[in-house]
Amino acid sequence: MKNLLKNGEIIACGKLFEQVNYDVSNNVFGARFNGSGAIDYYAIADGSTFEAPISYMNIVYNGKVQNVLLDKKVSMLGRKQTIEIDLKTAQLKIEQFLSEKDNGIYTSYRLITDNKDDVLEIGVTGNFFYDINSIENKSLKGENKAFISDSDFHYIEENHAAYFRLDSHKNKIRTLMICGDIYENTVNFLIDFDGVCDSVEKEISEAYMPENLNEIEKAAYNSAYWCALENYKEKDDYKGFMAGCRYLSPMRTYYRDSYYTVLPMYNGNLSKVKNQIVTLIRGISQNGACPSAVKSDWSDWWGDHYDSPSFLAMMLYDYIRFSKDISFADMVAGDNTILETSVKAIKHLSMYCDDTGLLYKAGQYNQRDWADEVNRYGYVTYDEILFARALYSIAQIYKLKNNEEQFVYYMDWFKKVKDAINNILWSEELGYYVNFTNEDYTEDNLSIDTVFAAIFDIADEEHSRKMLFKMEQMLETQNNGVDINFGSMCVYPFYKKIDAAKNKSTQSFNYHNGANWPYLSAMYAYAKRKYGMEYKHLLTIPFEYNLKNGNYTMIEYFSPYCKDGSLLQGWSGAIAFVLDEKTSAGFWNEQV
């Protein structure tokens, strides 16, 4: 495919058979358009996932069967993909989109021609149950699939296909495909089809775009912004950002993933950030243990993590500082106020501290933080930095509440942890913080997740610059000798011990062992910008690299030497936050 970028929109040009995978999502489900009129999957939050519900589309133009070598142009932005198929003397335009809140995929098929005698027949094939034009005669309540049209369809059950006709009399057909709960008023969704289309266009046109971005940066910003926004889900009073379309059953929101996902939401979607915090608060157990994620039934998902409590406290402080709403800290959620629950989680986490003030991850195969395929134990620099920032965040909230005693207490605690990080984990010889150390072993490779020391001023300016220079030389593939430039690796050199990792991360360049994680590349870019270094390539390389490889929405992780991660991965939206300098510049720039 040939990819073009125009004012923030991605346009792919090629042949009809070529895949243009574009993940979309809204408050209740996620799906994938494939750029040829098909739907690769349909995943309902806390429900079923239907693989390839629409598999193929067949076209007959003026009595002649068309082949898959037709030229097409596919345009993508927000929750919408538009396909324009060149029929030489006419054009078939297919628009597929989601509303913000409804369960259903809206599709319109339009024949654009100057010849009143043109006739276009389309066959839509898939492993899908079609209830064609019997909506008035039959209640659909209780069914879990429906395909509804404002035109007559001819359905052949043996072919698993529906066929319809476009001509000068009926040159546009609108359809709605729904998986999951189907209700009697489903047909009414088609009545306001054009209104839904207008609302989708309005949502796209009114979305904020930072100034002074070039075409690549505009498209990367839009891709990242929509990636974050589309992962927002609601189910009764459970409201928050999911990790991605492949994380919907069971429906769950992660403490660490959501911290980055909400960053681009501070500009324009502050209420959703607030909802996220309330949901996370309700996932804390009675004793303060904080899991990796909280499910929609409020039970935990992989309990008691070392980084999750810190992200909760940090997000709470970020929100209060940005919104200037200190009263939010005193809002009751569950049995306690939001601040009380955040403090309880940090106090529970502090049970893992030793007399140095640092957290000690006991057990050689302890994987309870973001790098959950790596056996990092003892003092893990990443976890310590987040813990220090969490203590600082709580101290500052108490300061805003004019509670001098608690402010001093948590600031003193913060300073102790900060000093221990710099005394125990900084290596002057290496010029950066070691990954982790314990009484038996020190892993001295350079991990990108230590960059938070520069962002949160745990490292002073001298040490921050040294570390960033080392990251530039060791992690960026344009400098470290890797033969393909795919941006910043998450760690380098690779983990040395044979039992250092499991699953994908046992392989070099894969997952937590050297792949590019766009959200961490964004944080690294933020730190480089803070210290006046060139940084934007760290934000655009993941976007450009993946466009060339046919990934048209933000990806979880990638490298040339491993299978790609999931698309529409929420925390990769952090790229939009860093590109939006109006919001992000100085976001964490307190001298601490």
Side-chain angles (χ1 to χ4, degrees):
M1 298 294 292
K2 180 181 179 181
N3 300 313
L4 308 172
L5 305 174
K6 184 177 180 181
N7 199 29
E9 186 175 46
I10 302 170
I11 301 170
C13 301
K15 299 297 182 182
L16 181 57
F17 76 90
E18 293 181 283
Q19 293 275 110
V20 184
N21 294 328
Y22 190 64
D23 287 35
V24 289
S25 192
N26 68 6
N27 287 13
V28 294
F29 81 106
R32 173 176 292 172
F33 303 148
N34 80 346
S36 297
I39 311 295
D40 282 357
Y41 73 85
Y42 193 124
I44 305 161
D46 265 350
S48 300
T49 296
F50 299 87
E51 298 291 342
I54 298 293
S55 302
Y56 301 104
M57 182 181 66
N58 305 313
I59 303 172
V60 175
Y61 177 50
N62 290 338
K64 182 178 180 181
V65 176
Q66 304 296 296
N67 66 42
V68 295
L69 299 180
L70 294 171
D71 290 328
K72 70 176 177 184
K73 181 174 78 171
V74 183
S75 305
M76 294 156 279
L77 181 56
R79 309 180 209 264
K80 183 176 182 181
Q81 184 181 73
T82 301
I83 308 163
E84 296 169 88
I85 301 170
D86 185 5
L87 302 171
K88 303 304 181 185
T89 58
Q91 182 186 84
L92 171 60
K93 184 174 184 179
I94 304 172
E95 294 181 298
Q96 297 176 299
F97 55 91
L98 312 184
S99 70
E100 181 183 3
K101 299 178 180 179
D102 297 327
N103 180 20
I105 295 175
Y106 294 83
T107 304
S108 71
Y109 303 84
R110 184 182 175 196
L111 175 63
I112 302 173
T113 180
D114 293 327
N115 185 352
K116 63 181 179 63
D117 296 323
D118 276 352
V119 175
L120 187 67
E121 296 171 281
I122 298 174
V124 181
T125 305
N127 63 349
F128 199 80
F129 171 79
Y130 296 93
D131 190 86
I132 306 301
N133 290 332
S134 61
I135 192 87
E136 294 178 342
N137 304 317
K138 173 185 172 184
S139 169
L140 290 178
K141 191 170 184 180
E143 300 287 349
N144 68 352
K145 297 178 183 178
F147 191 92
I148 306 160
S149 170
D150 64 354
S151 179
D152 291 333
F153 272 74
H154 175 49
Y155 176 59
I156 300 178
E157 185 174 358
E158 289 78 5
N159 288 4
H160 300 289
Y163 303 87
F164 56 90
R165 173 187 171 109
L166 292 166
D167 56 32
S168 59
H169 301 290
K170 186 73 173 180
N171 73 333
K172 184 176 181 180
I173 293 175
R174 301 172 299 180
T175 69
L176 178 63
M177 184 178 90
I178 301 177
C179 297
D181 294 332
I182 310 298
Y183 299 100
E184 291 156 333
N185 68 345
T186 297
V187 69
N188 294 331
F189 289 2
L190 275 181
I191 294 174
D192 194 34
F193 186 103
D194 292 336
V196 173
C197 185
D198 290 343
S199 70
V200 171
E201 290 292 343
K202 182 179 179 182
E203 186 184 32
I204 291 171
S205 65
E206 292 182 352
Y208 174 76
M209 171 64 72
E211 297 178 353
N212 303 319
L213 299 183
N214 62 31
E215 286 293 351
I216 294 171
E217 292 160 1
K218 286 179 182 177
Y221 172 84
N222 270 341
S223 183
Y225 169 83
W226 285 100
C227 176
L229 180 62
E230 290 181 54
N231 274 298
Y232 181 77
K233 299 284 180 289
E234 292 188 352
K235 183 181 180 182
D236 300 323
D237 56 349
Y238 179 90
K239 302 175 182 179
F241 292 86
M242 307 301 106
C245 283
R246 296 294 191 177
Y247 299 79
L248 299 183
S249 188
M251 189 176 176
R252 58 199 186 271
T253 184
Y254 290 82
Y255 288 79
R256 54 178 166 265
D257 295 51
S258 63
Y259 181 80
Y260 305 98
T261 306
V262 302
L263 290 175
M265 298 293 98
Y266 281 100
N267 188 346
N269 290 281
L270 202 54
S271 63
K272 290 182 172 62
V273 182
K274 185 176 183 179
N275 290 343
Q276 176 68 45
I277 295 170
V278 173
T279 295
L280 294 178
I281 285 289
R282 293 185 60 183
I284 304 298
S285 68
Q286 288 297 317
N287 69 355
C290 186
S292 178
V294 55
K295 294 188 285 187
S296 62
D297 63 359
W298 307 106
S299 63
D300 67 15
W301 177 273
W302 195 1
D304 208 10
H305 271 231
Y306 289 84
D307 52 356
S308 294
S310 298
F311 280 121
L312 176 60
M314 289 159 51
M315 192 188 302
L316 176 59
Y317 176 50
D318 291 348
Y319 174 82
I320 290 172
R321 190 177 74 251
F322 192 88
S323 68
K324 298 179 173 57
D325 180 15
I326 186 59
S327 67
F328 182 60
D330 297 323
M331 174 181 165
V332 176
D335 297 331
N336 304 105
T337 68
I338 285 177
L339 177 57
E340 287 169 344
T341 301
S342 298
V343 169
K344 181 169 65 173
I346 289 299
K347 286 185 175 179
H348 177 85
L349 178 63
S350 71
M351 294 169 56
Y352 296 111
C353 293
D354 61 16
D355 57 6
T356 66
L358 297 180
L359 301 169
Y360 191 89
K361 289 180 68 177
Q364 186 173 349
Y365 303 104
N366 192 326
Q367 298 154 353
R368 300 200 311 273
D369 65 21
W370 94 271
D372 54 21
E373 285 193 356
V374 181
N375 302 315
R376 304 198 293 185
Y377 62 106
Y379 303 132
V380 180
T381 300
Y382 158 82
D383 292 309
E384 312 298 351
I385 294 169
L386 297 181
F387 180 52
R389 178 66 181 184
L391 294 171
Y392 176 82
S393 297
I394 291 172
Q396 295 304 311
I397 294 172
Y398 277 121
K399 183 178 181 180
L400 292 170
K401 288 173 60 63
N402 297 314
N403 189 328
E404 183 68 17
E405 180 181 357
Q406 290 299 305
F407 166 68
V408 171
Y409 174 77
Y410 281 99
M411 279 302 292
D412 287 346
W413 192 356
F414 157 72
K415 291 173 183 176
K416 179 181 180 179
V417 175
K418 176 183 175 182
D419 289 344
I421 291 170
N422 287 301
N423 292 333
I424 296 172
L425 296 168
W426 173 263
S427 169
E428 191 62 36
E429 179 183 0
L430 295 172
Y432 56 82
Y433 295 93
V434 298
N435 191 333
F436 66 90
T437 189
N438 52 65
E439 60 273 14
D440 302 318
Y441 177 73
T442 295
E443 179 52 80
D444 61 2
N445 61 11
L446 179 53
S447 179
I448 195 172
D449 61 18
T450 61
V451 77
F452 294 102
I455 293 172
F456 298 149
D457 293 322
I458 301 299
D460 60 23
E461 181 174 349
E462 179 185 358
H463 286 169
S464 292
R465 289 187 180 279
K466 283 184 178 179
M467 177 180 66
L468 292 172
F469 175 76
K470 286 291 185 178
M471 287 184 169
E472 193 170 68
Q473 296 303 306
M474 295 173 63
L475 297 182
E476 295 188 33
T477 53
Q478 63 181 353
N479 302 321
N480 69 0
V482 174
D483 58 353
I484 299 176
N485 182 15
F486 64 98
S488 177
M489 299 168 65
C490 65
V491 64
Y492 196 75
F494 307 114
Y495 287 97
K496 294 185 285 290
K497 297 177 70 177
I498 194 169
D499 64 346
K502 68 177 184 179
N503 297 337
K504 300 183 290 291
S505 297
T506 61
Q507 300 291 310
S508 56
F509 293 105
N510 202 343
Y511 210 52
H512 296 129
N513 199 9
N516 183 317
W517 290 73
Y519 87 92
L520 284 171
S521 291
M523 295 298 98
Y524 172 36
Y526 184 96
K528 291 190 78 174
R529 186 181 73 192
K530 177 179 177 180
Y531 284 97
M533 304 170 71
E534 201 287 315
Y535 70 94
K536 282 193 173 180
H537 67 286
L538 295 166
L539 306 172
T540 56
I541 285 177
F543 175 70
E544 291 183 277
Y545 178 93
N546 279 285
L547 278 187
K548 291 177 183 177
N549 285 275
N551 296 323
Y552 290 90
T553 43
M554 282 289 169
I555 200 165
E556 179 186 15
Y557 68 91
F558 68 96
S559 89
Y561 316 105
C562 73
K563 184 179 178 181
D564 292 337
S566 301
L567 294 181
L568 204 71
Q569 195 76 9
W571 58 5
S572 297
I575 286 176
F577 171 76
V578 181
L579 283 169
D580 176 14
E581 294 191 22
K582 180 180 178 181
T583 303
S584 63
F587 192 79
W588 297 290
N589 281 11
E590 306 122 311
Q591 292 300 315
V592 299

